[in-house]
């Protein structure tokens, strides 16, 4: 019972965490021709076989929000990984007009009921998955 309360309090604290890059201790995981992927190891929390972490995608070339047509240069989000199932889902993410979470917030998306999707090899999600799930 105590373990459940502890896990729920960590989950609640993480979901209430304001997504901001000002306090994050970003660790670069890797890059490709499109983006650089970062993770904040201090935000990793485990709930059973699942783990949550805050990550950032910093684009080398600007993207565009499909709804507003505004320019996006970075995304910071909290994702949940189902380690045994090799899947993930976004819990919350923000798109920013500037690099590394700077500039104005283009969109603020809360998706706590999103479905888990497979982690694809060599994707940004795979890099984060490897850091979060391999440490167990």
């Amino acid at each position: 019972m105590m373990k459940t309360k502890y896990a729920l309090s960590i989950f609640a604290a993480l979901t209430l965490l304001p997504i901001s890059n000002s306090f994050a201790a970003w660790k670069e995981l890797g890059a490709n021709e499109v983006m650089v992927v970062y993770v904040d190891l201090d935000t990793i929390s485990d709930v059973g076989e699942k783990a949550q972490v805050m990550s950032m995608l910093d684009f080398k070339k600007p993207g565009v929000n499909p709804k507003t047509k505004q320019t996006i240069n970075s995304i910071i989000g909290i994702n949940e990984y189902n380690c045994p199932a090799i899947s993930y889902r976004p819990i919350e993410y923000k798109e920013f007009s500037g690099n590394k979470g700077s500039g104005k917030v283009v969109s603020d998306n809360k998706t706590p009921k999103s479905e888990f999707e497979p982690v694809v090899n060599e994707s940004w999600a795979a890099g984060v998955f490897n850091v979060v799930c391999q440490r167990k």
Side-chain angles (χ1 to χ4, degrees), residues 86 118-127 129-130:
I86 313 173
V119 172
V120 177
N121 278 339
E122 302 195 19
S123 67
W124 69 267
F129 174 87
N130 287 337

Side-chain angles (χ1 to χ4, degrees), residues 38-116:
Y38 298 88
V39 66
D40 182 350
L41 299 174
D42 293 339
T43 63
I44 296 173
S45 69
D46 296 311
V47 180
E49 294 291 328
K50 297 181 178 125
Q52 292 185 358
V53 67
M54 190 176 345
S55 57
M56 175 171 55
L57 308 179
D58 193 46
F59 300 122
K60 293 181 178 179
K61 293 181 183 171
V64 176
N65 178 297
K67 291 180 184 167
T68 66
K69 306 299 183 211
Q70 293 182 67
T71 300
I72 301 165
N73 279 293
S74 58
I75 299 173
I76 297 177
I78 299 171
N79 293 297
E80 182 174 47
Y81 290 82
N82 183 326
C83 296
I86 313 173
S87 61
Y88 80 102
R89 66 187 185 107
I91 302 291
E92 177 180 350
Y93 66 94
K94 290 184 182 183
E95 297 174 317
F96 293 88
S97 62
N99 288 99
K100 294 186 177 178
S102 66
K104 72 174 190 154
V105 175
V106 173
S107 72
D108 186 350
N109 308 277
K110 308 233 184 313
T111 56
K113 297 198 183 306
S114 62
E115 297 289 320
F116 280 92

Side-chain angles (χ1 to χ4, degrees), residues 6-27:
Y6 177 73
L8 289 173
S9 66
I10 290 206
F11 177 74
L14 186 62
T15 57
L16 296 174
L17 188 76
I19 296 180
S20 166
N21 68 341
S22 57
F23 300 109
W26 296 114
K27 173 182 171 35

